[in-house]
Amino acid sequence: MEKILIVEDDDKIARVIQLELEYEGYEVAIAYTGKEAMEKYGSESFDLVLLDVMIPELNGLEVLRRIRQKDDEIRIIMLTARDAVMDKVSGLDSGANDYVTKPFEIEELLARIRAQLKQRSLSHNADFQEVKCRHLKILPMAREVYIDDELIYLTQKEYDLLHFLVEHKNQALSREQIIETVWGYDYYGDTNTVDVYVRYLRKKLDRESSSIISSVRGIGYIVKD
């Protein structure tokens, strides 16, 4: 049974979400403050966290940062106010997998949860599979990237982008597809963000005239064997 931590200071909202999740077959725990969330996270094992931004003691973004310092695998969905654009951007940049704006339909929330847990399962199954492409090697379990056996240091978003491109090698991927998967649904930002991160990766990965990531005019990018 998959276990979910709800971090929400509004007791009524937390209770409604809890009942819906338990009806769907999930095991659920609730934390009403950021401090309580960190205590529960430290003492129990969770597959996913529903994390409200505006919570007392430690706000949601601080809880997110602290969890991500210890754990890259747990899925985290942020709950934000509809007009809190900077909270969404900060959350995604700090490692949130997705976010849902309030007020939300419970069906949408459940669909987002199912999608994230499926992604977690697929990632976990792939964790032991070494990925190779030309002079590039990725070790998903360690989130490490090697070029000609030299370890290359990437940020979390750089790694996520590279891994997504290599997983779908020989496929032309649009900027919109990349944004949806790597940055999350409803990302409030320009698709030029993809171009910026591709430039970062090329600087770190390319050797001489050989480029791992190729541009596809009018579409986006592709990694070829």
Side-chain angles (χ1 to χ4, degrees):
M1 183 183 294
E2 290 163 314
K3 191 170 182 179
I4 296 174
L5 173 62
I6 301 169
V7 186
E8 168 63 68
D9 64 329
D10 187 313
D11 182 62
K12 290 182 179 179
I13 294 176
R15 182 59 176 160
V16 168
I17 297 174
Q18 178 187 20
L19 290 173
E20 292 288 347
L21 292 177
E22 288 178 344
Y23 181 79
E24 293 293 319
Y26 300 109
E27 186 178 349
V28 180
I30 298 176
Y32 297 100
T33 70
K35 183 178 179 181
E36 185 182 3
M38 291 307 303
E39 289 172 353
K40 285 185 180 292
Y41 168 77
S43 62
E44 303 178 48
S45 178
F46 296 97
D47 300 290
L48 183 143
V49 178
L50 287 177
L51 180 58
D52 188 32
V53 173
M54 301 301 293
I55 50 176
E57 295 183 2
L58 293 174
N59 68 42
L61 293 175
E62 181 59 27
V63 172
L64 169 64
R65 281 189 284 268
R66 293 189 184 193
I67 291 177
R68 278 291 177 248
Q69 286 175 356
K70 303 176 180 180
D71 191 340
D72 284 329
E73 291 190 9
I74 192 169
R75 312 306 281 188
I76 300 177
I77 299 178
M78 303 295 291
L79 303 177
T80 71
R82 187 170 296 280
D83 58 350
V85 176
M86 288 311 298
D87 284 345
K88 297 169 188 174
V89 173
S90 297
L92 292 170
D93 285 346
S94 298
N97 300 105
D98 198 358
Y99 66 83
V100 176
T101 54
K102 294 181 178 180
F104 52 81
E105 296 292 335
I106 194 66
E107 291 80 8
E108 178 190 5
L109 179 61
L110 292 173
R112 299 289 184 93
I113 289 170
R114 286 193 295 269
Q116 289 302 324
L117 290 174
K118 182 178 180 181
Q119 282 280 79
R120 184 180 187 275
S121 177
L122 291 173
S123 297
H124 183 74
N125 291 337
D127 274 347
F128 299 98
Q129 299 175 14
E130 183 179 287
V131 181
K132 289 186 177 181
C133 182
R134 293 156 57 187
H135 56 286
L136 172 73
K137 179 173 69 176
I138 300 177
L139 302 180
M141 187 68 178
R143 291 178 67 87
E144 291 179 345
V145 175
Y146 291 83
I147 296 290
D148 297 327
D149 294 323
E150 174 192 352
L151 178 62
I152 306 298
Y153 294 96
L154 302 181
T155 66
Q156 180 172 315
K157 272 290 179 278
E158 289 169 352
Y159 174 86
D160 290 342
L161 172 57
L162 177 64
H163 192 257
F164 178 63
L165 290 170
V166 172
E167 272 189 319
H168 297 83
K169 61 185 177 182
N170 302 317
Q171 297 179 39
L173 300 170
S174 70
R175 291 173 178 81
E176 290 75 16
Q177 285 176 292
I178 296 169
I179 283 287
E180 257 190 29
T181 302
V182 179
W183 276 265
Y185 292 102
D186 302 324
Y187 172 67
Y188 275 82
D190 200 302
T191 54
N192 286 340
T193 300
V194 177
D195 303 327
V196 172
Y197 275 82
V198 167
R199 285 200 296 271
Y200 293 160
L201 285 174
R202 282 172 170 166
K203 286 181 181 178
K204 294 182 178 183
L205 303 178
D206 290 355
R207 294 293 183 268
E208 299 176 356
S209 60
S210 176
S211 182
I212 286 286
I213 304 170
S214 301
S215 302
V216 181
R217 188 172 181 180
I219 299 177
Y221 296 97
I222 188 171
V223 168
K224 294 181 180 180
D225 275 330

